[in-house]
Every structure is written in structure tokens, then in C-alpha cells.
Amino acid sequence: MAKAKTIYYCQNCGTQHATWMGKCNNCGQWNTIVEEVVEKNVQEKPWQEEQSKTPVLFNIHEIPQTGEMRIVTQNHELDRVLGGGIVLGSVILLGGEPGIGKSTLLLQVALSLPQQKVLYISGEESASQIKLRAERIGIQTEECYILTETQTQKIFKQAKNIKPDILIIDSIQTLESHYVESAPGSVSQIRQCTAELIKYAKETNTPVIVVGHITKEGTIAGPKILEHMVDVVLQFEGERNHIYRLLRAQKNRFGSTSELGIYEMQGNGLREVSNPSEVLISAKDHALSGNAIAATMEGIRPMLIEIQALVSTAVYGTPQRSTTGFDTKRLNMLLAVLEKRAGFQLGAKDVFLNITGGIRVDDPAIDLAVICAVLSSYENQALPDNCCFAAEVGLSGEIRPVNRVEQRIVEAEKLGYDVIFISKFNKFKTSNHQIRVETLGTVADLYRMLF
Ligand code: TYD
Ligand code: MG
């Protein structure tokens, strides 16, 4: 019997190697190269048939203009992240850790489209499991078809019969094509199945949404080239033990990648959070020390978040600095600024910092709120409960301007705050705000004003 042809693939970047190596010399990752069996019979591959046709050459001015046709789903957060709905013929990859809610989100979209026919392919769950979940979510559509199949050729056969308006694949790692010999989930299978799905999407003008699992390192399992092949890459993320989930676009050929969708996981599926600020700030009876509100931006979406700090005397030798949702190094830097520029003795204190709601924020504009929360806890004095903050803090204790300050002010005003503290170097139009805008130059100014 002839020896089966095998190729060594890097599972990170998809490079082919002639032999096994410990380290991929293309992307530099260790232990990512695996052996895969591939069939040699190349002529059969479906998308290569048309290469005999002469390609058509276009002058850019002669290409007819066709507007993008989009399917607007009932899911406003998803529509917004996609840039206004699902573009016909596009291939969307939805990545996320196991158990984060990818299947729930897509099933919910499938069940809420009253006018479209949806074909939902599940390689992971049985039809009765999906039915159970669907009943919890609520079925509003007449035409949602479930197929538990993993062979792409059989899937396309069903798709040809049903002619769905949207095809959903859960997940790409379970699919297999009979043109490739290796196991489902391997690089060559994922690449082949994706190529077939893309061909199907472009030829029938049907949008295809594909679920992709995420590896421990946070990349979509399978080669990076998968991300290059598809039109849109969405990332579904969140802390597993918290109820909030964030949907971001990492790549979008039909819209901006700065939009953000927020969901709340409930007993009956995912609820859209259209006003994030309201849920991210916890309700209390009276102001507590160590709490400060920051006006932050997630992409282009302003929202107010609550920052909590606890400063206490260190009982053990080395003081602890611990954060959730915020960079610990940045906290250390801010504490050093407070110590050196404003004379607070924080060197012997434990400092704990927490952003409520379990979300992660990288926006430097929350620096000022972090400092206020720390000072409030240090002084054991609550901040006035109607004020919020939006500014970056520099190494010399100066309060620095931030981008899109107008939008932050408007959001704070909309949520009923009376005062917002910003940098005095931030330029903005003064006249049209109800909210009082206080401007600060240094950390020392801040302390004088608040305590
Ligand atoms: P799931 O969509 O199966 O995750 P993924 O496909 O990303 O692996 O979501 C699973 C989690 O969601 C599970 O831990 C239970 C939770 N969940 C709810 O809290 N409420 C619900 O209505 C549903 C359907 C799931
Ligand atoms: Mg799933």
C-alpha cells in the first residue's frame, strides 16, 4: 500500500514544513507543528474547476455600483457591531472561549428572524439539546432548520434543497470535507472547509456565520489565515463568572471595528444591554468611600463605569497591589505619582482596585477616577455621589487631556451627573452643557478641590 502523504503544519500560522520541528521558523512559536495526512488527488478540488475560464478585466470606473444588501436582525447590538446588519454573501467568524455563549447568541439570532429562513448546522449538540435551549430562549420564527451534520458536502446538499437566507455553522472545528484526509479540527481541514464555505457564500450570496473556538492563548484555534480568509471576525468575550458579555469586531470589511456590543447572560438567553452605564454602576443608599465614577470610551461608545479601591495598612512585609479589570503596572505607576507628587505615604499600604461588572478597561482616561477612588479610601471620605471623572494622569502629576471629551460629557449629563472633572488643557464647547465642567491642572489641585 502506498504511504499516505503527510504534511507538517504550524497550527499557529498555518505554514507548511517538510519535517517536524520543535519551533516554527515562520512565527517563532514552540510546539505548534503537527503532522497531517492530506490526499494528493488535487484535480478534484471544487473551487479550482473554474480556473480554466478567462478572468474578466475591469476598469475601476466601469464596475457597476451595487449597494451592500444587508439583513437587519432583531439583535441591535449585533447589527451595530457588524455596521448595520449582516451583509449578503459575507462570511462572519465568531470566536470566543468555550461556554461564553456563542451558540446561545447565534441560536437567538436564528430564532428571532421572522422573515428569513435559517439553516443552523450543529456539530456539537444534538437536535434535542438545541430544542431544549431554543425553548428557553423563545421561538419567534417559522423557518429555522437544524441539521446535525459535519460533512461539508452533505451540508451543501441540504443547503441546496432548503436555500436558506442565512447559514450558521457551529463550529468550524467539527467540520470535515472529504477532499482532505486529516481529522476534523486540523489545519488542513479547517482551511479546506472555510474555503468551501466562502465559495458557497459568494456563489449563492448567502451570508455564513461560523463559530470558531479559542485556544488557551486567546487566538482562534486553527491557523491565523482563517482570519484573513473571512470578511468579518467577531470576538465574544467576558468573565465566565460575571453576567456581562462583550461583542467586538476585530476585523470588518463592511464597517468600523470600534463598535462594541454588550449583553447580559440570563436564564432565558442573552439580553441586549442598550444603556451600559446604568448596569455598570451599582446602586447604593449613600455614598461610600473608595468609589469613583469614570467616563470612559469603549471604541466609540461612551459609558460610565464604577471604580472601587480599598487602601489598608499592609500587615505582611511587602504591600499587596491587586486589581481586577485594570492593569496592575498602571496602578503602581499612579500610586508612585501620588507618593512623589502629592506626598501620600502609600508605600506601606495594601491597595486593591476593582472595576465593577467584570469588564476590562484599557482607556487611560480612567486614571483620574482611579486616583480619586484610592484617595477617597485612603482618607476614608466618600466623594460627592454626583460627580464623575475623565482624564489621564501623567508621571509628573499633571492631569492630561483625553480624546472625545465632548461625548463623555454628554453621556455623564445624560445619566444625571452634576459635575465632571476633566483636564484644563482639554478643549471643548462650554455653552451647551447643563452639567458643570470642572477643570484641573495637577493632582494637588484635585486633592484641594475634593477633600
Ligand atoms: P453556550 O452558548 O453553549 O456557549 P458556547 O457555545 O460559547 O460554548 O453557552 C453556555 C453557557 O451559557 C452555559 O454555561 C449556560 C449559559 N446559559 C445561560 O445562562 N442562560 C441561557 O438561557 C442559556 C441558553 C445558556
Ligand atoms: Mg457552543
Side-chain angles (χ1 to χ4, degrees), residues 84-330:
I86 303 171
V87 176
L88 293 188
S90 65
V91 178
I92 299 167
L93 177 66
L94 174 68
E97 283 174 30
I100 207 78
K102 302 179 293 298
S103 308
T104 309
L105 177 68
L106 293 184
L107 190 62
Q108 209 163 325
V109 170
L111 295 177
S112 66
L113 287 171
Q115 263 136 47
Q116 278 85 12
K117 207 189 272 182
V118 183
L119 178 57
Y120 187 102
I121 313 291
S122 177
E124 299 188 341
E125 286 162 285
S126 68
S128 53
Q129 274 178 309
I130 296 172
K131 172 78 179 174
L132 268 180
R133 191 196 295 240
E135 252 156 25
R136 272 213 276 164
I137 294 171
I139 307 173
Q140 293 160 17
T141 170
E142 293 298 312
E143 291 199 286
C144 175
Y145 298 93
I146 308 289
L147 176 65
T148 49
E149 176 58 64
T150 54
Q151 250 255 314
T152 49
Q153 280 72 31
K154 290 185 187 156
I155 292 172
F156 291 135
K157 212 163 147 190
Q158 285 294 348
K160 240 170 233 156
N161 289 341
I162 296 179
K163 295 197 180 58
D165 295 307
I166 300 182
L167 178 65
I168 296 176
I169 307 284
D170 188 5
S171 65
I172 188 74
Q173 276 91 358
T174 58
L175 288 195
E176 56 178 328
S177 163
H178 72 219
Y179 291 107
V180 175
E181 193 78 3
S182 58
S186 63
V187 176
S188 34
Q189 275 294 5
I190 289 180
R191 196 191 297 205
Q192 169 72 22
C193 294
T194 311
E196 286 176 20
L197 287 171
I198 290 173
K199 182 165 186 274
Y200 168 80
K202 304 297 165 199
E203 272 180 9
T204 59
N205 210 20
T206 312
V208 179
I209 308 181
V210 182
V211 169
H213 289 294
I214 295 260
T215 60
K216 278 204 303 293
E217 291 77 35
T219 51
I220 291 173
K224 264 255 174 286
I225 51 160
L226 194 59
E227 295 179 25
H228 296 300
M229 288 162 87
V230 299
D231 298 307
V232 180
V233 179
L234 300 180
Q235 184 91 15
F236 205 37
E237 56 190 40
E239 292 273 333
R240 197 100 89 82
N241 301 328
H242 283 91
I243 52 171
Y244 296 109
R245 302 280 184 271
L246 305 183
L247 184 70
R248 292 174 206 274
Q250 286 191 340
K251 161 183 174 178
N252 191 352
R253 286 190 182 147
F254 316 107
S256 115
T257 51
S258 48
E259 285 286 5
L260 173 83
I262 304 181
Y263 294 93
E264 188 182 331
M265 183 59 97
Q266 293 185 332
N268 55 355
L270 291 157
R271 186 183 72 88
E272 296 168 43
V273 177
S274 41
N275 188 356
S277 307
E278 273 174 13
V279 294
L280 292 173
I281 296 170
S282 47
K284 7 183 176 0
D285 292 337
H286 51 87
L288 302 169
S289 71
N291 285 8
I293 309 290
T296 175
M297 304 282 301
E298 259 298 341
I300 54 169
R301 188 170 186 183
M303 56 188 196
L304 270 69
I305 54 166
E306 182 170 355
I307 295 176
Q308 296 186 315
L310 180 67
V311 179
S312 66
T313 310
V315 244
Y316 304 108
T318 320
Q320 296 185 60
R321 269 75 208 270
S322 154
T323 60
T324 346
F326 189 69
D327 184 14
T328 315
K329 284 192 191 132
R330 185 128 194 125

